Amino acid sequence: MSFVHADCTINCAVRTLELDKLARTLPAPLRDRVAFLCIDTDPARGGSARLRAFAEGLLGPGTPLRFLDSDEASTAALASALRYPPGALPEPPPTILVFDRTGRMAMTYGSDPVDEARLLQDLTLLETFDAIRVAGTASAAAGFAATVEEVQSVREHLRRTLASLTPRRIEGAGPALQGGPNGLRAAIGADQALERPVDLAVALNGLPRDDGRLDLVESRAPLESLPGLARAGGASEPSEVLLHGIAGFSIRYFGALKDRTRPLWYPAWPPSGDGAGRLPALVEIQVVFAPGDPRRWTPLVIALGNRR
């Protein structure tokens, strides 16, 4: 649920466009289960016809969003429930609410801008959890909660790790990051709290298993050289399994090879000698789980910036 009125300002219109885009691109099972409601917050000047004209003018006639008008009493009750200043109306609250299938509020978000990746992830998790709750037992629900926590902790770990990349190699030889579609190796800044801080080389790879699946493995070692993509789990590099038994793993890189050039997505970084002195602006990590695996992973996009 989000909030609009027929004279939406820029923020309100952008929010509605972002939700329309998300609703149109939901996976098929979710698309049939999730309803997007946009509630009018200007009943004095609103009405169904005016709201419909706004929606069709902004989104076109085929939008999956549903627009509902309101009355003075319900708008006042809404502002009170959200602790939204009545004097700010009719400008809609910059809030998105998510309800489960029983009508209970499950999540609330600030919405400028809409965090589409998080909202998609949470809708997927909510749908899965509801299915377990309807069909199953407390132990099943507890097991599902554990898988959610496992995946989320890995995502946060990867965010922190890639945020620690050094802007350049300490010994000045070669790029600070070398990546391919199935793994990357990067230089991580030294922990200055240590008595003898050293930069580290960290490698992230999918390690094949005997059952045909992969383990997502991270290896760390003192940084001496970055000759290319490391094979995780080597004798000289202690490794840690971040995720067991995944079905697939891929990485891609977004950046510009030179100043004032157009950034693009690349399957490897650096894609040529031109970009050897730069980090990509974004790294996207995708993990695929096998059918029946309760774990879920939306594409993880991590901003590195252009640190040279």
Side-chain angles (χ1 to χ4, degrees):
M1 178 184 293
S2 65
F3 307 98
V4 300
H5 67 85
D7 296 314
C8 258
T9 60
I10 292 176
N11 285 343
C12 169
V14 169
R15 183 186 319 141
T16 305
L17 286 165
E18 290 172 336
L19 288 174
D20 177 74
K21 175 185 173 184
L22 176 63
R24 292 177 189 270
T25 56
L26 283 179
L30 273 181
R31 197 180 311 134
D32 297 334
R33 304 283 305 165
V34 179
F36 287 79
L37 305 180
C38 302
I39 309 301
D40 181 28
T41 57
D42 189 13
R45 295 185 298 167
S48 299
R50 196 160 181 259
L51 201 59
R52 184 165 52 252
F54 159 76
E56 292 185 359
L58 181 66
L59 306 173
T63 177
L65 273 57
R66 305 177 189 178
F67 290 79
L68 303 177
D69 56 4
S70 60
D71 55 35
E72 297 284 354
S74 60
T75 302
L78 167 70
S80 175
L82 295 179
R83 299 182 180 179
Y84 188 66
L89 293 170
E91 182 62 21
T95 304
I96 296 174
L97 308 177
V98 174
F99 298 84
D100 67 16
R101 68 177 68 184
T102 68
R104 293 180 299 184
M105 187 185 300
M107 299 150 191
T108 180
Y109 312 87
S111 59
D112 293 330
V114 175
D115 190 341
E116 297 178 41
R118 180 187 170 199
L119 189 53
L120 173 59
Q121 176 184 345
D122 288 350
L123 288 172
T124 303
L125 294 178
L126 182 62
E127 170 66 8
T128 306
F129 185 78
D130 275 350
I132 290 174
R133 185 173 58 194
V134 168
T137 64
S139 61
F144 172 72
T147 65
V148 172
E149 183 176 357
E150 174 197 15
V151 170
Q152 190 59 33
S153 66
V154 170
R155 292 170 67 91
E156 291 304 317
H157 170 75
L158 293 174
R159 286 186 189 277
R160 290 193 301 270
T161 297
L162 292 184
S164 302
L165 294 187
T166 59
R168 60 175 57 86
R169 296 278 298 281
I170 191 170
E171 78 282 18
L177 182 145
Q178 289 177 291
N182 305 118
L184 64 80
R185 186 171 171 87
I188 302 297
D191 185 347
Q192 300 302 320
L194 298 177
E195 182 179 353
R196 297 180 62 188
V198 294
D199 284 0
L200 297 176
V202 60
L204 188 67
N205 291 276
L207 191 65
R209 299 168 17 141
D210 293 338
D211 61 3
R213 297 188 183 183
L214 304 171
D215 287 338
L216 182 59
V217 176
E218 178 187 282
S219 302
R220 295 189 178 215
L223 177 63
E224 296 177 356
S225 63
L226 279 172
L229 290 180
R231 281 182 16 199
S236 63
E237 296 186 341
S239 62
E240 176 186 1
V241 178
L242 301 181
L243 289 171
H244 291 269
I246 63 177
F249 167 65
S250 62
I251 309 177
R252 62 177 183 158
Y253 312 84
F254 183 80
L257 303 187
K258 297 180 180 179
D259 291 337
R260 294 186 295 277
T261 61
R262 181 184 178 188
L264 299 170
W265 284 106
Y266 295 96
W269 193 272
S272 69
D274 292 339
R278 307 172 70 96
L279 289 175
L282 303 173
V283 173
E284 181 188 80
I285 300 174
Q286 177 65 289
V287 173
V288 178
F289 295 108
D293 192 321
R295 295 174 293 180
R296 297 290 182 271
W297 184 284
T298 56
L300 174 63
V301 179
I302 302 172
L304 305 183
N306 184 20
R307 295 176 291 168
R308 291 181 292 171

